[in-house]
Amino acid sequence: MRRLQKLAATMAAVAVVALAGGCGGGGSGSKASKNPVGNPAAGSGTPTAGGAASSSSSAAPSTSSSSSSAAVVVIKPAANTSDADPASQIQVSVANGKLTSVTAQLSGGGAVAGALDASGASWTSANPVGIGHTYLVTAVATGDDGKQQTVTSQFTTAKPANVYTGTYTPDNGTTFGIAQPVSITFDKPIPDKAAVEKQLTVTSDPPVDGAWHWFGSQRVDWRPQQYWAAGTKVTLHMRLDGVKSGSLYGKQNRDATFTIGRALVATMDADAHKMTVTTGGKTTTLLTSSGKPGFETWNGTMTVLEKDQDIRMNSTTVNIFGVNAYDIPHVYWAVRLTPSGTFVHGAPWNEGKFGKVNGSHGCIGLSSSDAEWFFNQVIPGDPVTVVNSKDTVKPDNGFGDWNLSWADWTAGSALH
């Protein structure tokens, strides 16, 4: 009888902790959930609330449901791991009891978001653990024997060489016009676009529906169905640290918030040789000269990309040679609409043509005074729509995103 009592006491005091590889959102800026995950670092799980010393084991925990059994907690990635897969997630499970709390702390950063399942049997981090991070995970469980176990684990994630990064626009803290999409260009082709797109979200205040659209394998844009409302606050959330795409790993977690400014819409009629600019409830009409035959200005909606008060325009940069070649050292009040060379700018050499005929090589020309006025009115992201011209601008020529129907736009999502 004494031997049986001694054996029961011994069983109630033992907790086995096994640690293995896992994945968790490991970037700065991650928000803690109800059960946040903690700081990454390498080490074996260690019970700290009266449990016996832990053993580093990958064996599955016992599934015994005996009411006298102690909790058995398993944390993955395993304690003391120094090269955990960046694409894995942190996973904590318990047998013979329930998890009461789990925290995971990123070294030098904040708590990691995660979720405890309804039964209290497991906890999983929201995002991959990412590249080159150290975590400290602390799990508290109550066993069927009524006793509490606290187990900790520290591990570090690997630093693979094959990574991808994205350059995004707009930048944090900027202001753009109502037609500005969110755009990301990656430095390498993305093999698994769906895996990446799942980790990219856009939120706004007020809320608006929108979708991602891929232009090839390196650029993805997000826009709403209609233009933004003036004053909208928009935030891009990138959670790509550790996200695997083919053999590549992402390494960026970013949040960038920009503001939509006042509403301005410009429309240029190539047949009428006029452009209307509507903003603040007022419409201003400007006389124009757009592309002459053979050099027609693009039809469709283009978005202001940048402004230069004084630039040089050389036709060789847009593949125009011979009798139509030009080289103008100073072009003033230049508003770029496409990377392919479409501008709205001052064109004093076309004086006498404004409002009468089209005489440019594809740009929208204005008198010097009108060009200066337009330059001072517009900001990047403002839409400029051309009608009654020839050939619609391609949607990936700058931000010609708005020239796709909504059905065609959403069809370009990898998750469609």
Side-chain angles (χ1 to χ4, degrees):
M1 181 68 177
R2 292 180 59 191
R3 290 183 62 190
L4 291 175
Q5 290 174 339
K6 183 176 181 180
L7 176 60
T10 300
M11 290 176 63
V14 174
V16 178
V17 178
L19 304 175
C23 217
S28 58
S30 296
K31 296 182 179 178
S33 68
K34 283 186 178 179
N35 297 283
V37 183
N39 204 31
S44 295
T46 304
T48 60
S54 67
S55 62
S56 180
S57 171
S58 59
S62 168
T63 57
S64 170
S65 60
S66 169
S67 61
S68 63
S69 297
V72 179
V73 178
V74 175
I75 302 175
K76 299 180 179 182
N80 296 325
T81 299
S82 60
D83 59 351
D85 182 0
S88 61
Q89 290 169 274
I90 300 171
Q91 296 177 320
V92 182
S93 61
V94 64
N96 308 330
K98 289 186 177 181
L99 293 168
T100 55
S101 73
V102 177
T103 59
Q105 185 70 28
L106 177 64
S107 179
V112 177
L116 185 67
D117 77 346
S119 68
S122 66
W123 183 98
T124 305
S125 62
N127 298 305
V129 288
I131 293 174
H133 301 303
T134 297
Y135 290 87
L136 178 64
V137 182
T138 302
V140 181
T142 301
D144 294 337
D145 59 359
K147 294 183 179 181
Q148 181 174 283
Q149 297 285 343
T150 300
V151 179
T152 62
S153 173
Q154 193 173 4
F155 66 90
T156 299
T157 63
K159 297 179 180 179
N162 50 335
V163 299
Y164 63 89
T165 59
T167 300
Y168 58 88
T169 188
D171 287 335
N172 189 57
T174 54
T175 299
F176 279 78
I178 59 174
Q180 179 65 39
V182 176
S183 183
I184 303 171
T185 300
F186 294 100
D187 62 345
K188 297 180 180 69
I190 301 300
D192 187 346
K193 292 184 284 189
V196 170
E197 188 177 327
K198 285 177 183 177
Q199 297 299 111
L200 301 173
T201 57
V202 175
T203 57
S204 66
D205 182 17
V208 63
D209 290 332
W212 291 102
H213 182 100
W214 288 84
F215 296 108
S217 60
Q218 290 183 249
R219 174 180 163 184
V220 62
D221 287 7
W222 192 101
R223 71 164 175 89
Q225 186 170 0
Q226 307 295 333
Y227 292 153
W228 301 101
T232 301
K233 298 288 186 182
V234 186
T235 302
L236 164 66
H237 308 275
M238 300 173 68
R239 292 295 177 267
L240 297 178
D241 190 12
V243 174
K244 195 171 184 181
S245 179
S247 63
L248 303 174
Y249 288 88
K251 65 174 188 177
Q252 287 174 296
N253 282 351
R254 297 285 188 274
D255 294 299
T257 299
F258 65 98
T259 302
I260 302 300
R262 81 289 171 270
L264 182 148
V265 176
T267 303
M268 199 281 292
D269 188 325
D271 279 349
H273 318 298
K274 294 179 180 179
M275 181 164 65
T276 58
V277 181
T278 302
T279 184
K282 181 180 178 182
T283 297
T284 301
T285 300
L286 307 175
L287 301 181
T288 67
S289 176
S290 59
K292 61 187 177 182
F295 295 93
E296 289 86 352
T297 304
W298 294 114
N299 242 357
T301 297
M302 294 165 276
T303 302
V304 172
L305 300 177
E306 60 183 359
K307 305 191 297 182
D308 288 288
Q309 187 174 339
D310 179 5
I311 64 171
R312 178 179 181 174
M313 287 190 175
N314 188 307
S315 65
T316 61
T317 64
V318 289
N319 297 316
I320 298 177
F321 303 93
V323 295
N324 289 302
Y326 56 86
D327 187 3
I328 308 172
H330 299 285
V331 178
Y332 296 101
W333 316 115
V335 176
R336 181 184 284 273
L337 303 181
T338 69
S340 64
T342 308
F343 288 81
V344 180
H345 61 77
W349 52 87
N350 277 338
E351 193 64 48
K353 295 181 179 179
F354 303 124
K356 298 179 181 178
V357 295
N358 294 323
S360 80
H361 290 80
C363 291
I364 299 172
L366 301 172
S367 69
S368 294
S369 59
D370 284 351
E372 181 179 4
W373 179 87
F374 184 77
F375 182 95
N376 290 327
Q377 294 299 308
V378 298
I379 62 174
D382 284 339
V384 178
T385 300
V386 177
V387 298
N388 295 321
S389 190
K390 185 179 179 180
D391 297 331
T392 300
V393 64
K394 292 182 179 180
D396 60 349
N397 187 0
F399 296 129
D401 305 47
W402 302 96
N403 297 295
L404 290 175
S405 69
W406 186 241
D408 288 340
W409 180 264
T410 56
S413 166
L415 304 177
H416 181 74

